[in-house]
Amino acid sequence: MNTGRKMLESAQAIILKTAKSLKLANELIERLIQPNVIHELNFSVGKKIYKGFRIQHNNNLGPYKGGIRFHPNVSREEVQALATLMTIKCAVAGLPYGGAKGGVIVDPKKLNENELDELSRAYVRAINTFIGAEIDVPAPDVNTNPKIMEWMVDEYVKRIKNQKSKIKTDHETLNKLRATFTGKPIDIGGSLGRTEATGRGGVFILKALLNKLRNSKVYSLKSNNLTVAVQGYGNVGYYFAKLAHEQGLKIISVSDSKGAVLVNDGLDPETTMNCKKEKGTVAGCYCKGSVCDIRYGKTISSASLLELPVDILVPAALENVINETNMKKIKAKIIVEMANGPITEEAYEYLTKKGVIIIPDVLANSGGVTVSYLEWYQNMHGEKWSEDKVNEKLRLMMDKAFYSIWDKASGYKALDLKQAAFEVAIERIVKK
Ligand code: NAD
């Protein structure tokens, strides 16, 4: 079975299970499972024809929201699964948004900058009539970035000006048009704090969980010197490690696609990143404080990082890395799903029954879309906030999201935050 189809089936299965347990009527369940609109697009760039998608899953809570990915494996099923999960994630995060996703079947690594610019603009021409700041708000995803958002928003504003010759060209109107895309560069309306937002949001959620556990009679955490291992040292993994370290957690192991490093006394994330930039990998970066030295640690495989006897495990790279083959070897007490779908359904069930506390992806990595919402809000209200203000708003929103899920889960036999997150999300979506 292709991975897109598998993703879609598992997203639909958990919605179905949750909606049935909430005793929703059949037509409501069907509307949660089937997307509102599937746009399948064929568009040309010069003589080449590309296939792309924009799937608008559900807009009960507000405008559709979701990224655009450029990847050769993009499929209708994958985009639909991701759009469905965006509906849940936005509802979990308490955002006034629905869920959508876009994608183009392309290997962007084979395109030069000009070709990428042309492709981005052509995709926007194909979708411009059904997006808008109050309709559907795209953002970056796999292989798309602020530069691509700049081309897209530029093309979008040009199209709107062409279509509506009487449109005003003042700052306020321009800001609102630009709010159609988030993840933009700062000088055209992007928000400070967006780069770190997903990692930062994950650390806020983890801190909120640790506070609850420290005060809980049921789940106790004895150590004050909690250890952490992070798989993946890209945007999400690095900022998670850096900010968790600043909060006093001990990061003992990190990895990237080329290997992992273990420093039992605790590594310094920033020095490790500088070392990775020099070497091209974290393997071999045994960095304590500002010094990297072979005596401080050793290189291990990325797979064995997952099996370390740490308190907190943070998969922040790929999907399905914790599965039937390694679930029995996982020793962490808490897992923070910073990647999308890093734990398979079987492993999730096994670990939850064993008493491992898992912060599900729809909650753990929702800091990114939350700051996208703050960017949109600033554009819509003609405001520009300091990074501190953005971070503080993110903290308040992440705390609120966490507490509503925690409260819901507290009534269960086993602490299943994923089930609670889906319940809270679906209740919010159908209530509106
Ligand atoms: P990224 O490309 O910046 O980083 C990915 C990292 O994973 C890299 O360090 C890469 O070397 C590493 N990696 C790849 N294969 C690996 C392997 N086998 N073992 C260990 N490490 C490996 O991507 P990112 O933006 O950090 O995203 C990571 C995950 O988080 C993805 O699942 C993504 O969908 C999810 N996510 C990202 C955001 C965001 O705002 N960036 C938001 C929500 C979810």
Side-chain angles (χ1 to χ4, degrees):
M1 190 191 292
N2 73 39
T3 46
R5 179 171 288 261
K6 193 157 193 277
M7 271 175 82
L8 181 58
E9 284 184 2
S10 74
Q12 291 179 333
I14 178 156
I15 290 179
L16 187 63
K17 184 178 134 202
T18 314
K20 281 196 168 159
S21 77
L22 291 172
K23 301 196 170 37
L24 295 189
N26 283 345
E27 68 272 19
L28 274 179
I29 300 182
E30 195 59 18
R31 292 309 307 273
L32 286 169
I33 288 185
Q34 297 302 335
N36 288 355
V37 196
I38 297 179
H39 299 280
E40 187 164 336
L41 317 152
N42 292 296
F43 59 97
S44 303
V45 181
K47 287 188 180 150
K48 189 155 173 42
I49 300 171
Y50 286 93
K51 186 176 272 303
F53 304 90
R54 182 74 187 168
I55 299 189
Q56 297 168 323
H57 175 258
N58 185 292
N59 63 349
N60 278 15
L61 293 175
Y64 300 107
K65 182 88 192 85
I68 298 166
R69 63 174 54 182
F70 288 173
H71 197 279
N73 297 343
V74 161
S75 64
R76 201 262 301 150
E77 287 92 343
E78 181 190 70
V79 178
Q80 190 177 329
L82 294 164
T84 306
L85 292 172
M86 279 307 294
T87 300
I88 299 293
K89 191 181 292 187
C90 290
V92 165
L95 303 178
Y97 283 146
K101 204 79 180 187
V104 178
I105 305 172
V106 60
D107 184 353
K109 294 191 179 101
K110 292 190 178 145
L111 302 184
N112 64 31
E113 185 162 312
N114 264 344
E115 291 166 331
L116 205 52
D117 181 340
E118 301 249 300
L119 172 72
S120 307
R121 289 174 187 277
Y123 178 73
V124 167
R125 288 195 292 276
I127 65 169
N128 82 89
T129 54
F130 47 80
I131 59 169
E134 284 168 292
I135 304 167
D136 182 353
V137 184
D141 193 69
V142 174
N143 292 330
T144 53
N145 54 32
K147 182 78 209 156
I148 290 178
M149 292 306 110
E150 185 171 358
W151 294 327
M152 289 190 170
V153 86
D154 182 62
E155 188 65 25
Y156 178 72
V157 171
K158 270 191 205 151
R159 301 298 296 177
I160 298 297
K161 283 185 179 166
N162 278 346
Q163 287 158 12
K164 300 181 186 167
S165 53
K166 287 196 188 122
I167 195 166
K168 288 196 235 159
T169 47
D170 62 307
H171 225 65
E172 194 185 325
T173 310
L174 184 62
N175 269 342
K176 286 190 178 165
L177 286 178
R178 284 174 168 171
T180 303
F181 291 81
T182 61
K184 302 179 291 289
I186 306 291
D187 58 338
I188 58 157
S191 180
L192 292 168
R194 174 63 187 91
T195 311
E196 305 84 354
T198 306
R200 188 182 296 278
V203 173
F204 285 146
I205 299 277
L206 175 61
K207 267 185 69 185
L209 172 72
L210 294 177
N211 278 339
K212 282 285 181 194
L213 297 182
R214 286 202 175 99
N215 297 323
S216 162
K217 289 191 183 109
V218 186
Y219 309 98
S220 70
L221 264 187
K222 291 185 186 70
S223 170
N224 272 328
N225 200 9
L226 299 172
T227 54
V228 184
V230 182
Q231 184 188 51
Y233 217 51
N235 173 277
V236 175
Y238 169 59
Y239 285 110
F240 186 97
K242 180 173 180 284
L243 299 163
H245 172 75
E246 283 170 16
Q247 294 297 321
L249 295 166
K250 190 163 146 189
I251 317 295
I252 65 160
S253 185
V254 297
S255 68
D256 59 27
S257 58
K258 294 184 183 146
V261 65
L262 172 65
V263 177
N264 279 317
D265 290 344
L267 57 79
D268 183 279
E270 258 184 285
T271 320
T272 305
M273 179 48 96
N274 293 337
C275 170
K276 173 180 160 72
K277 281 184 186 153
E278 260 175 43
K279 285 184 192 281
T281 171
V282 292
C285 294
Y286 319 106
C287 307
K288 232 167 63 171
S290 58
V291 180
C292 305
D293 189 299
I294 182 79
R295 287 169 303 170
Y296 296 156
K298 61 177 183 175
T299 292
I300 58 171
S301 71
S302 186
S304 55
L305 172 147
L306 298 171
E307 297 163 14
L308 289 171
V310 284
D311 297 298
I312 301 158
L313 178 61
V314 186
L318 308 171
E319 66 277 8
N320 299 338
V321 289
I322 301 174
N323 49 46
E324 268 179 306
T325 62
N326 62 358
M327 64 190 187
K328 294 194 174 144
K329 297 183 203 147
I330 302 294
K331 298 176 194 74
K333 300 179 191 75
I334 296 171
I335 304 179
V336 189
E337 283 196 309
M338 291 306 291
N340 283 319
I343 308 179
T344 64
E345 275 167 73
E346 300 83 353
Y348 213 104
E349 209 180 311
Y350 171 82
L351 292 165
T352 304
K353 274 194 188 139
K354 202 178 126 189
V356 177
I357 299 175
I358 302 172
I359 307 181
D361 51 5
V362 287
L363 175 63
N365 69 29
S366 64
V369 68
T370 299
V371 173
S372 278
Y373 161 70
L374 298 176
E375 173 180 338
W376 176 88
Y377 184 96
Q378 290 172 73
N379 297 162
M380 295 299 277
H381 294 84
E383 295 180 12
K384 223 159 184 26
W385 298 342
S386 68
E387 190 164 350
D388 283 350
K389 183 165 176 178
V390 173
N391 291 344
E392 182 53 14
K393 290 211 179 260
L394 174 65
R395 187 183 67 75
L396 292 171
M397 293 174 82
M398 293 282 95
D399 278 0
K400 198 168 168 203
F402 171 77
Y403 291 128
S404 57
I405 308 286
W406 174 270
D407 288 348
K408 169 70 79 180
S410 302
Y412 302 159
K413 265 195 221 142
L415 188 65
D416 186 343
L417 295 172
K418 185 173 181 176
Q419 190 193 330
F422 274 75
E423 276 189 27
V424 166
I426 290 174
E427 280 173 345
R428 285 177 180 164
I429 295 162
V430 296
K431 212 182 257 175
K432 188 77 183 185

